[in-house]
Amino acid sequence: MIKQLARLGATALWTLALLLAATRPSCGQAIVSNENNPFLDPKGHQPFEIGALVQGGIGVTENRNDFKFLMAGVHAGKVLTPNLGHGPLRGNFEYAVEVFPFWQSYTPKFQRPFCTNPPGTPEQCTPFYTVGGTFTGASVTPIILRWNVVGTKKFSFWGQAAGGLLWTNHKYPAFGGPPYNSQNDGKYADASVFNFTPQGGVGLHYFLRPRRSIDFSANAVHISSASLGDRNPGVNASVQFSLGYTWWK
């Protein structure tokens, strides 16, 4: 699974590089539309987008408000429908994916032992050792369902729901004492290196010129192992903000 995540991240980065080369202006290259906003194309072209982005944020629940996040990766999406509806929410439906080959979470450090209690023997515990700190991993969000509001020549807003998978180099988040107790520090007191990331958010495209935009978004992200590990401490809620640059075809 780790090799698959690394391979997917590398493939996404190579795809981005190839598309950047393909979208460089050249003699005789046709522009899809003179409009900055590709959703205003009078021919009804349903555009494809690919971009690079960085994202960061913090945990917002009471026991996770000192968690911090930072990641960098690529986004790719395809508009699947013409513009639908009327009024200010007139827009189109897009399917997209995101890959973050670089993902880090900065968490508090604390001390815990590891204890076992074989039948008929007294409880045995290791010396206290440090857990927590910086976790490094990779994240893939293969399902992003986005509604793009058509907007104006310069601006378009979106809302989305998404689901992804996170792998970390250590079981995330760290779990255990203090204070020490058998539930926190016993042999069934670990989290998982795999977590799921259901999420939703809103965003804005600012179109600089035809086929180019700067993108801003705010996302609420939940991190949970769905009990793949012995425990599922998770991160009930985090707020993460992203900044990206997108090429449209």
Side-chain angles (χ1 to χ4, degrees):
M1 184 63 185
I2 296 170
K3 291 182 178 179
Q4 290 175 339
L5 287 172
R7 190 179 299 113
L8 183 55
T11 300
L13 291 174
W14 274 109
T15 301
L16 175 61
L18 291 172
L19 284 173
L20 289 182
T23 55
R24 292 181 61 184
S26 61
C27 235
Q29 183 180 26
I31 295 178
V32 171
S33 170
N34 289 326
E35 294 286 357
N36 282 13
N37 182 345
F39 306 142
L40 296 175
D41 185 348
K43 296 182 179 179
H45 174 68
Q46 296 167 15
F48 168 82
E49 62 162 320
I50 188 165
L53 71 161
V54 293
Q55 182 167 302
I58 58 172
V60 295
T61 51
E62 183 178 354
N63 62 345
R64 295 289 185 254
N65 54 15
D66 45 7
F67 279 41
K68 299 177 177 63
F69 302 89
L70 179 65
M71 58 205 77
V74 294
H75 171 101
K78 178 70 173 71
V79 173
L80 301 179
T81 70
N83 293 329
L84 305 171
H86 302 279
L89 296 181
R90 174 175 170 80
N92 54 68
F93 179 73
E94 177 181 351
Y95 180 85
V97 298
E98 287 178 351
V99 179
F100 291 101
F102 174 82
W103 185 100
Q104 287 196 332
S105 178
Y106 312 101
T107 72
K109 294 181 179 180
F110 59 92
Q111 298 284 307
R112 65 160 288 186
F114 176 76
C115 301
T116 58
N117 189 11
T121 64
E123 187 174 56
Q124 302 173 13
C125 295
T126 68
F128 279 79
Y129 59 93
T130 301
V131 294
T134 299
F135 291 79
T136 299
S139 176
V140 178
T141 308
I143 302 174
I144 301 175
L145 307 177
R146 177 177 290 185
W147 181 259
N148 296 301
V149 174
V150 172
T152 67
K153 182 177 180 179
K154 287 286 188 180
F155 294 97
S156 172
F157 296 89
W158 80 77
Q160 68 179 32
L165 176 66
L166 167 67
W167 169 83
T168 48
N169 60 338
H170 301 293
K171 293 181 178 181
Y172 179 85
F175 188 77
Y180 165 78
N181 65 63
S182 59
Q183 290 295 314
N184 282 346
D185 299 289
K187 64 178 181 178
Y188 299 114
D190 274 324
S192 173
V193 296
F194 292 102
N195 281 274
F196 299 96
T197 56
Q199 55 195 273
V202 294
L204 165 70
H205 295 299
Y206 173 66
F207 296 100
L208 301 169
R209 57 193 180 94
R211 300 182 297 139
R212 300 288 188 274
S213 68
I214 296 177
D215 314 301
F216 309 89
S217 73
N219 300 283
V221 182
H222 173 76
I223 301 175
S224 169
S225 70
S227 297
L228 291 176
D230 303 323
R231 293 287 187 271
N232 184 15
V235 178
N236 283 334
S238 66
V239 174
Q240 302 188 16
F241 301 92
S242 72
L243 172 65
Y245 189 87
T246 297
W247 292 258
W248 298 81
K249 291 287 288 182

